[in-house]
């Protein structure tokens, strides 16, 4: 007579626990190494160039972190507690009117690109026209209240930058939505998969979403601050002036820099404000392009909507964002 053996416990929880233990060990090793090297670091920081670098880096991080924290908390709350059906009920049935309405609705989602992609995917799953969902995708990280306030703080005495960023970002988002209605094809857009918080309560889902967004946004903020500080200290001023004095090169340089740095939209205004060698128009291009086209956003779009979509949508968005930002800057400054 054969007896059945009970199935073994699943391995993933143990693997997850082992991963968390290793993460703690790595952090502990890094902390011990930093303490052991504090004398060397203190001596290195005594040089004027590194002192300038640390001043720029720390000032950007300190100014931006409150906005990043607020944005990620509000974004997690909306993602967990606000049902996707809320957005579908709020949009007009007419597709041409739904696009600008969705673009304006993006202002109520305080979060960066990391939050806008899943929400846009939920809109498409709920039957919202893709043009409106894409307008929401582009406008949400660019015109929400947290980003507008951070831009105002980063550019004191220059409220025109706030209005310029709002108008150019919303205009580019709406144009891309209308362009999709005109030339977009259904076979370019893969239907996004459903992601929920199965097995988690609302509070635990909120904590998990906030922790994920905060870790990701904070990491990209550190990278952006590092790059901005390094650019200010290591690149000879004559080189920066040569690029900044050429309007075309300045716009293209900051547009590409925005794509490469992939800074969270709650923090990018402080990086742009530190690039004082460049004109306001060039820095506006940096602020408009960054939340719409960057490396991490491209990867998220590939995962949510497919490679065929991202390879067409991202380059077109880049061109539209640059042109609208340059046109807005030409009108205002």
């Amino acid at each position: 007579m054969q007896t059945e053996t009970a199935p073994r416990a699943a391995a993933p929880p143990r693997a997850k626990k082992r991963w968390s233990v290793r993460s703690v060990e790595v952090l502990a090793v890094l902390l011990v190494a930093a303490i052991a090297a504090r004398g060397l670091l203190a001596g290195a920081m005594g040089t004027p160039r590194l002192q300038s670098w640390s001043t720029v880096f720390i000032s950007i991080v300190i100014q931006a972190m409150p906005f990043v924290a607020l944005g990620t908390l509000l974004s997690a709350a909306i993602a967990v507690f606000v049902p996707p059906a809320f957005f579908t009920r709020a949009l007009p049935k007419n597709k041409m009117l739904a696009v600008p309405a969705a673009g304006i609705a993006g202002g109520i989602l305080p979060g960066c690109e990391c939050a806008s992609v899943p929400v846009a995917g939920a809109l498409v799953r709920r039957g919202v026209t893709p043009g409106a969902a894409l307008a929401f995708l582009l406008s949400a990280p660019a015109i929400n209240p947290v980003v507008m306030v951070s831009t105002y703080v980063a550019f004191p005495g220059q409220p025109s930058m706030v209005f310029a960023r709002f108008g150019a970002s919303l205009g580019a988002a709406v144009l891309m939505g209308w362009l999709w209605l005109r030339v977009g094809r259904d076979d370019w857009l893969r239907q996004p998969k459903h992601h929920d918080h199965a097995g988690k309560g609302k509070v635990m889902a909120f904590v998990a979403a906030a922790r994920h967004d905060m870790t990701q946004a904070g990491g990209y903020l550190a990278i952006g601050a590092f790059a901005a500080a390094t650019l200010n200290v290591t690149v000879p001023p004559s080189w920066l002036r040569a690029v900044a004095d050429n309007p075309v090169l300045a716009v293209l340089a900051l547009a590409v820099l925005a794509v490469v740095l992939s800074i969270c939209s709650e923090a990018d205004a402080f990086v742009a404000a530190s690039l004082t060698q460049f004109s306001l128009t060039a820095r506006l291009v940096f602020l408009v392009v960054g939340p719409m086209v960057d490396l991490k956003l491209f990867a998220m779009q590939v995962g949510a909507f497919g490679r065929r979509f991202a390879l067409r949508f991202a380059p077109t968005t880049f061109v539209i964002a640059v042109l609208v930002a340059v046109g807005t800057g030409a009108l205002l400054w």
Side-chain angles (χ1 to χ4, degrees), residues 188-267:
W188 291 349
L189 185 66
R190 186 185 67 196
Q191 287 296 317
K193 299 178 181 179
H194 178 65
H195 298 281
D196 56 15
H197 304 285
K200 294 183 179 179
K202 292 290 186 180
V203 175
M204 293 303 297
F206 168 77
V207 172
R211 182 173 61 243
H212 173 271
D213 290 348
M214 184 64 183
T215 302
Q216 192 171 41
Y220 283 111
L221 167 61
I223 294 172
F226 180 91
T230 303
L231 188 66
N232 275 275
V233 173
T234 61
V235 177
S238 59
W239 292 13
L240 288 178
R241 282 194 299 268
V243 175
D245 290 342
N246 187 312
V248 176
L249 287 180
V251 165
L252 293 178
L254 290 196
V256 173
L257 187 66
V259 174
V260 174
L261 291 185
S262 304
I263 308 172
C264 185
S265 58
E266 287 95 350

Side-chain angles (χ1 to χ4, degrees), residues 63 148-163 273 280 283 332-333:
Q63 284 184 305
M148 292 296 100
V149 172
S150 68
T151 305
Y152 179 82
V153 174
F155 290 88
Q158 296 174 320
S160 60
M161 179 60 83
V162 180
F163 295 109
L280 288 177
R283 285 184 279 176
L332 292 179
W333 302 303

